[in-house]
Structure formats: C-alpha cells, structure tokens
Amino acid sequence: MDSNVSKKTKWGLFALSIVIMIWTLVPLLWTFALSFKKSADLADNNANLFGNFWPKNPTMENYDLIFNGGAKDLFLPALRNSLIVCLVATLISVILAMFCAYAISRLEFNGKRLILSTALAVSFFPVISMVTPLYDLWRRIGLFDTIPGLILPYLSLTLPLAIWTMTAFFRQIPWEMEQAAQVDGATSWEAFRKVIVPLAAPGVFTTAIITFFTAWNDFVFAISLTSSERARTVPAALAFFTGASQFEQPTGAIMAASVVVTIPVVILVLLFQQRIVAGLTSGAVKG
C-alpha cells in the first residue's frame, strides 16, 4: 500500500513539475520568438506558425537594430552601465556581508539579532518609498545620473539579502576547524582566509548570484535616479525604445534586448550551477 501511495506521489510530483516547467518556459519562448519577428509580422497569423507564436521567416533585424542600428546608442551604453553597476554592487555586498556574517555567526555581542532583523526588514522595505528622498539628495550632492549614484542605492537592495543569506552558511561551518587552525599557529585572519572562506565558497557563490540578479533586474532606481545614457541601465533604457513612427511599438527591439540581457544570467547559472546547488543545500542534511 505504501509502495502504491509512493508511486502515485512521485507521478503526481512529476506531472506538477512538467506543468510548472511549461508555465515558466512559454513566456521565455514567446519573448525569444518575438525577437525574431518583423514589425509587420507581429499580428499577422499568416506569417507565423502555431497560431501567432513562431515566425515562418525569422529575421535578425531586431538584433541588428540594437547593435548596429538606431537603438545602438541607447542599448550599448545601458548594457555597459548594467554590467559595471551590478558587478561592483555585487562585489561590495558580498565582501561586506562575508565579514558581517562571520561576526554574527562566530562572535558573541549584544544586538546581533537586531542586526539580522534589521537586514531582513530592510530587504522587505518598499523600494519606491526611497526614491523621492534619494532623488532630492542625489541632485543636491551631484550623484544624480552617475554610476556611483546607482551603486549606492543598489547596496540597499543587495547587502541586507547577502547578510541574511550568508549568515546561514557561516553557521554551518564547524567552529572546531577554525580553532584547529589557530592551534597550529594561524592568526585569526589567516584562519578566516584559509579555512573559513574556502569552506563557505558555495554559500558565497550562491549569495553573489542572488545579489547580482537582484541588482540586474532593478527598474525603479534605474529609471528614477538617471536622466541620460551616462548611467542608465538596461531595464530603464528599454522604456525609451521607440518605433519607426509614433504609431509603432518597438516590440521586436525590446524583446531582442531582453534576450541579450538574459544571456549573462544564463551563463552565470550554467557556469556555477554546481556551486549554487551546493550552496542552496548546505546544511540541509546533518550526519
């Protein structure tokens, strides 16, 4: 009886996973298909297969538009800005969170629960509520429409999340290993650098990926704290794409740009998938 229930459960979970995969993949495939359609073919069923889903004659004109055509001056600087802002914000967040998580998990001091609670509360704080005061402050001190003017607000998005996530990983590392290194003559810094950090590497990589995704997908700060191509990132730049006329929506160009900005995310996941899985399952099983 238990065997039958187990089989039913497995088949039920398998069917549910198939439904979830289809639900997730269809919008991605739709975006990919739209990026290969001409503007005239977007609403023409005769020019597409499977209803209006896939183009019969795929074209690269939308990709040519964002890399070589009229949208080049808008998209390429935004892509560069996104890479700079997100990588710098992720690097700073991970380094600061690593030291903070080590102190919270290893040291005894008053207020460490308050620090974690504050980090969690800040991560749930509505981003839009910070835009108006930041906009006014940034205009006054000269950080508006600058790369540092985006990196600093992005730290408010990524750092609390990084602290909370990385603290859980550091708590799984046996305290005795660091003590053994110190008994062998290592200083506290050497024990941290040569023992703790390598053991926490899966958690560090997982945190870095999560924080990078958070910064990469931000739209509110990017659209509110920039006014030109000097610092505007891709999510904000997509809002300024225009068609050939005021009556034409640049759907194909926007979809092509969306596919391009998704590629770094896919590459990161493929390169570090083993570390991500190891980090997400760290401490799940204790033996």
Side-chain angles (χ1 to χ4, degrees):
M1 186 69 180
D2 292 339
S3 177
N4 292 334
V5 173
S6 178
K7 287 182 179 179
K8 290 181 180 179
T9 302
K10 289 180 179 179
W11 280 108
L13 292 175
F14 177 76
L16 180 62
S17 64
I18 294 296
V19 172
I20 293 174
M21 288 177 61
I22 294 175
W23 182 267
T24 305
L25 287 175
V26 167
L28 297 177
L29 292 175
W30 178 243
T31 299
F32 189 70
L34 286 175
S35 70
F36 289 101
K37 290 183 180 181
K38 297 179 180 179
S39 298
D41 297 339
L42 291 175
D44 186 0
N45 292 334
N46 296 324
N48 299 290
L49 302 172
F50 310 111
N52 196 29
F53 189 79
W54 191 262
K56 291 181 179 179
N57 300 305
T59 177
M60 295 293 293
E61 69 176 23
N62 293 317
Y63 292 92
D64 184 65
L65 179 66
I66 63 174
F67 283 112
N68 302 307
K72 177 182 68 173
D73 294 335
L74 186 62
F75 177 71
L76 293 183
L79 184 61
R80 180 200 64 217
N81 294 336
S82 287
L83 289 172
I84 294 173
V85 170
C86 296
L87 288 175
V88 173
T90 299
L91 180 63
I92 295 174
S93 294
V94 169
I95 292 175
L96 294 178
M98 190 164 52
F99 290 114
C100 185
Y102 175 80
I104 292 173
S105 59
R106 289 294 190 237
L107 305 179
E108 290 297 331
F109 60 92
N110 295 328
K112 68 178 185 178
R113 287 184 179 273
L114 179 62
I115 294 175
L116 279 177
S117 300
T118 303
L120 184 63
V122 170
S123 64
F124 285 109
F125 202 74
V127 175
I128 193 65
S129 63
M130 295 185 285
V131 168
T132 301
L134 275 177
Y135 175 84
D136 185 58
L137 178 62
W138 266 211
R139 296 280 293 188
R140 290 174 181 270
I141 65 177
L143 285 177
F144 181 77
D145 199 26
T146 63
I147 295 293
L150 275 185
I151 292 175
L152 291 175
Y154 278 11
L155 293 179
S156 68
L157 296 177
T158 57
L159 187 55
L161 179 63
I163 291 173
W164 184 265
T165 305
M166 207 173 294
T167 299
F169 293 115
F170 273 89
R171 284 176 173 170
Q172 303 301 325
I173 300 174
W175 176 249
E176 292 77 12
M177 299 191 69
E178 184 178 3
Q179 290 178 324
Q182 293 176 344
V183 169
D184 290 337
T187 63
S188 298
W189 169 247
E190 289 174 338
F192 173 79
R193 181 168 54 88
K194 296 181 179 180
V195 177
I196 300 300
V197 173
L199 290 174
V204 173
F205 273 96
T206 303
T207 304
I209 296 296
I210 294 173
T211 53
F212 180 84
F213 291 169
T214 302
W216 187 259
N217 293 325
D218 172 73
F219 175 79
V220 177
F221 283 141
I223 195 69
S224 304
L225 301 180
T226 62
S227 61
S228 69
E229 290 78 15
R230 290 175 53 195
R232 186 181 291 143
T233 58
V234 171
L238 294 181
F240 292 90
F241 276 30
T242 58
S245 68
Q246 59 178 333
F247 304 105
E248 180 181 335
Q249 293 294 329
T251 303
I254 292 176
M255 294 301 104
S258 300
V259 171
V260 172
V261 298
T262 305
I263 292 175
V265 176
V266 175
I267 292 176
L268 285 174
V269 173
L270 292 177
L271 289 178
F272 301 115
Q273 58 180 331
Q274 292 183 347
R275 290 185 178 272
I276 294 173
V277 172
L280 291 174
T281 57
S282 178
V285 179
K286 293 184 178 180

